[in-house]
Amino acid sequence: MASSSRFYSILFNKCPRCHEGDFFVSKSAFSRNFDKMHEHCPHCGENFMPEPGFYWASMFVSYAFFTIWSLLTFFIFVVWLEIDLDYFLIGLVPSIILLTPYFFRMARRTWLTIFIKPAPKPSVTAHS
């Protein structure tokens, strides 16, 4: 995956503008401070807090991630592997609880990436 794509910055905790600085302070979504964000990109200085309440809408993105996860696992386990629905639901609830910090972080990065244009790539000039 190209390190200058928007998907790269969303998946790998990187700044949506420069794709180099870390978005969250902690590298892991499963640490005590999983929700602590940098106010600005440590590499390019991009503002990660555009306005108060900006990330409230990221809960809808998070909801979409949980919906996709639930539907994907339903089709894999219940439809394709024909596992009983009760067993599926017993397994789904802990997986949703475990994925909450990861989806929280990914939803915030996705939401900001929608509004931040990536930095232009430096042009390569041919020297004669």
Side-chain angles (χ1 to χ4, degrees):
M1 181 179 300
S3 63
S4 62
S5 76
R6 288 179 178 225
F7 291 116
Y8 176 84
S9 65
I10 292 169
L11 293 176
F12 295 105
N13 190 37
K14 297 299 178 186
C15 170
R17 179 166 309 281
C18 69
H19 309 292
E20 292 188 34
D22 287 335
F23 193 86
F24 283 92
V25 174
S26 170
K27 300 260 186 222
S28 174
F30 303 103
S31 66
R32 178 176 289 270
N33 295 323
F34 75 95
D35 61 338
K36 301 293 186 244
M37 295 174 49
H38 292 288
E39 295 224 4
H40 298 278
C41 174
H43 186 262
C44 71
E46 178 64 40
N47 183 10
F48 289 160
M49 302 288 188
E51 60 186 45
F54 176 77
Y55 289 105
W56 276 82
S58 71
M59 70 181 161
F60 296 109
V61 177
S62 179
Y63 179 77
F65 289 148
F66 282 113
T67 302
I68 291 167
W69 173 255
S70 299
L71 289 173
L72 182 68
T73 56
F74 174 80
F75 283 111
I76 290 171
F77 290 108
V78 177
V79 176
W80 188 49
L81 297 176
E82 299 178 355
I83 291 177
D84 189 50
L85 184 61
D86 293 336
Y87 293 124
F88 166 72
L89 292 174
I90 289 169
L92 179 66
V93 172
S95 75
I96 286 176
I97 292 169
L98 288 172
L99 287 171
T100 296
Y102 182 73
F103 284 161
F104 169 86
R105 290 166 59 114
M106 203 163 68
R108 283 193 170 208
R109 290 190 304 259
T110 302
W111 187 245
L112 187 65
T113 300
I114 292 170
F115 297 99
I116 302 255
K117 184 177 179 183
K121 293 180 184 178
S123 61
V124 179
T125 57
H127 296 300
S128 326

